[in-house]
Every structure is written in structure tokens, then in C-alpha cells.
Amino acid sequence: MRTKLLIIGLFVALFAGAAEPKEVSRFEVELKGGPNIPLSGYHGSDSKAGAVLGIDLRYNLKNKPFDVGASFLANWTKGEGETAVIYGEVIYPLPYYCTHRTIAGLLTAGYNLRRGYKVNPYAGVGIGLASTSVGDEDLLHNATKAIFVPKIGVELLYNFRLEVSTVVTRKHFNSLNFTIGLVFGGRPKK
């Protein structure tokens, strides 16, 4: 119950700080990257932090605080675990190491609370398709699944974005991402 109230309070605080959007250039491109934290292991493996890279293409709607666009995302985490080899009546433990990879294409939408200002908090969402795979000689397994990526963040000085997002896709491939982005375009018009 406390978590739900915290989330509701966060959104109320964010939207209470909204300002009239300034006119900005229509198109912007963001290059981003950072670490991630896996939200679960794969078949009992112990997942380790990895990396996320992405590119966002956005179109800013005229006189509105909204943007729409597309995003391409690559997400990696590491997994470690132990399986067993049975030889006769003897069981030998066999450690394994693998990489969990997610490559995704998404359609995105965002709401900017102070678009065109030097500090611009925002919230957004992306939906699309993800190719997920486990890279290990013994555990090769690929699948294409739907992906959902909610995100919140802040744009600073028109060119930098700090973002927290969650990748929700195939079980055991979900992660919490922390990225720093460099934005080209989207500056206020004079």
C-alpha cells in the first residue's frame, strides 16, 4: 500500500510542477547508455548488472508538451549458475556463465512537464518487439516477445538527459536501467 501511495504522490508532485510549454524545434535525437540491474535470474542463475545502449528519435508536437517517436534499445546482463553432469552414479557440479541479450525496437510517447526550459522533468512509455537470447554453448535459447518500457527522467540544459526506465519483456529478461543521454535538437526557438 505504501508503494502505491508513493507512486501516486510522485506523479502528483511531477504534474504540479508543469509549466506552459515553450516552442522548440520539432525533431531531436538522443544517444544514451548506462548500467542496468536485472530484476530476476534465468533458470536459477545469479544475474549480474550489465549495460544498456539506445538511440531515441523524437518529434515534438507543436504547442503541446508531448513528443512521439521511435527508440532502439540493446540491453545486456550476465548470468552465472550451476548445473550438473551425471556420470554413472556420480554427480559432478558444472558452473556456467551466460549473457542475456535483448534487442528491441519501440514506438514511444512522452510528456514533458517544462518543455523548452533548462530543467525539464518528463515521463514516457515505449511499446514494441524485442529479440531476446541467452548466449551460452549449453543454453542457447532465442525468442521474440513484446516489450514495454515505462520511463521517467529529467532533461538538463536542453542537451543532457538522466533517465530511469524498466524493461518489461520475457520472464528473466526484465531490468531496471539508468541512462545518461546526449540530445541533439529540441532546443527552444527564438
Side-chain angles (χ1 to χ4, degrees), residues 35-40 47-51 75 77 174-178:
N36 64 23
I37 299 170
L39 298 178
S40 64
S47 291
K48 308 283 186 204
N75 206 32
T77 59
N174 303 329
S175 67
L176 181 63
N177 300 339
F178 303 93

Side-chain angles (χ1 to χ4, degrees), residues 132-154:
T132 61
S133 62
V134 177
D136 181 345
E137 293 175 10
D138 300 322
L139 298 171
L140 291 176
H141 191 277
N142 302 323
T144 300
K145 298 289 184 175
I147 186 170
F148 176 68
V149 181
K151 57 187 175 181
I152 60 170
V154 63

Side-chain angles (χ1 to χ4, degrees), residues 30-31 51 108 131 147 163 174 184:
E30 177 186 359
L31 303 174
T108 62
S131 172
I147 186 170
E163 182 176 284
N174 303 329
F184 301 95

Side-chain angles (χ1 to χ4, degrees), residues 105-118:
L106 304 112
L107 296 176
T108 62
Y111 180 80
N112 299 276
L113 279 83
R114 299 179 54 82
R115 187 172 82 180
Y117 293 85
K118 289 185 179 182

Side-chain angles (χ1 to χ4, degrees), residues 2 49 71 93 116 119 124:
R2 280 191 254 166
S71 181
V119 177

Side-chain angles (χ1 to χ4, degrees), residues 2 30 45 48 59 61 68 76 96 99 105 147 166 172:
R2 280 191 254 166
E30 177 186 359
S45 69
K48 308 283 186 204
Y59 176 79
L61 300 178
V68 294
W76 299 272
Y96 67 83
T99 304
I147 186 170
T166 302
H172 308 299

